[in-house]
Amino acid sequence: MASALVRSSWRLFSGNTIRQNNSKQATTTASGGMLPEPRRTPFGLIGVVCAVIPGLLIGATISKNIASFLEENDLFVPSDDDDDDD
């Protein structure tokens, strides 16, 4: 919304009209031919492990630090009374 307002006000003040081309040129050439399929980068199992393991470790460390901060400042202290389901 704001970008459309800026574009329309720019056209009014600059005196130049910008012609917008609404055709998708990401998959076709200017003449209408299909572009070749893009090259694929295979990640494989090693790539998945290298992405997931650091994320889990960083998330666990942040969670542990926040939980210890909350317990130190008595903002959240788990009570033993919650385990009375018997």
Side-chain angles (χ1 to χ4, degrees), residues 36-78:
E37 186 175 337
R39 188 174 41 135
R40 294 181 187 233
T41 306
F43 290 108
L45 185 61
I46 294 172
V48 171
V49 168
C50 289
V52 170
I53 297 297
L56 288 174
L57 292 176
I58 291 170
T61 303
I62 291 171
S63 298
K64 185 177 73 170
N65 290 338
I66 290 174
S68 66
F69 172 78
L70 292 175
E71 284 188 31
E72 286 175 8
N73 294 317
D74 291 329
L75 296 173
F76 176 75
V77 179

Side-chain angles (χ1 to χ4, degrees), residues 26-37:
T27 57
T28 60
T29 62
S31 63
M34 296 293 292
L35 292 174
E37 186 175 337

